[in-house]
Amino acid sequence: ASLAEELMHTTVRLEGQKTQGTSVGTGFFFMHDQRLFLITNKHVVEGVVNGNLVVLKGELDGEVKKPVLGQGYRFPFSASNFIGHPDPNIDVTAMNVSAIFSEAENNRDTLYWKNLTESNFPTQKQIDKFISPIEEVVFIGYPSGIWDSRNLLPVIRKGITANPYYVDFEGQKKFLIDASVFPGSSGSPVFIYYAGGHPDKEGNLYAGNRMHFLGIVAQVYKRVEQGGIRIVDIPTQQLPVAEIDQMIDLGVVFKAESIKECVEFYINVINDSNNQIQPTQ
């Protein structure tokens, strides 16, 4: 598979039933300390009592595993399966899926996924040489719940960094992207991705691919507009105002190191065996 194809298969759609309504978000796979984690935002799984995710079926072509588009295995989850980042202001949470995936494959259910690792984080040397204040980024997920339901594939979108990635926005481990971020995009991984060639900060060109995993989409800025009804003062009451939430195409991305911190917290504090679930097909 090409690098772009591999990135496409790092994500899964998270559907959840809550006590009031349903939710749709994005999760992606991250390998750390020989454990496979599903990463998303805290708010995506908060309150989910009955959720599910679908992982593509795989098949062997010689010694190469390939995806079987449109066929997958369904795994349940709930909010209790996730452990969030210890900082309440960092909207990142993790679930250990190592055991359930291993059990599924031991039952001859071949799964197909790709995962990210810490090796995909940009190093300080790479940041100094290649990452400028304005970088084109791509993010993969399920905006407004949209996906290719026939082939079980996500939607790929792009934008640019709205402030320098290497500067902590408002002193926190996050940065902004200028992109159309909608509900359902929450939990999407964000990448710098160049195919075939890439520039450095000075405009020099280099041959080959370049990919850096920057972080996870968590929030979006909205502007509240008043429309339809105006406040009119009358002697005994005020009439209500109709407020309209309008996206202004600024997404908030928590940096990749927050994900590492989250899974390390999981490993160090939580006994993995207490948070295992059983798959259903």
Side-chain angles (χ1 to χ4, degrees), residues 183-223:
S185 295
S186 294
S188 294
V190 180
F191 306 96
I192 292 175
Y193 170 70
Y194 289 96
H198 57 275
D200 63 14
K201 284 185 176 181
E202 298 179 355
N204 301 310
L205 295 177
Y206 297 79
N209 299 333
R210 178 162 73 93
M211 186 277 283
H212 303 302
F213 170 47
L214 300 185
I216 177 174
V217 174
Q219 300 166 330
V220 64
Y221 280 89
K222 291 183 178 180
R223 180 175 62 199

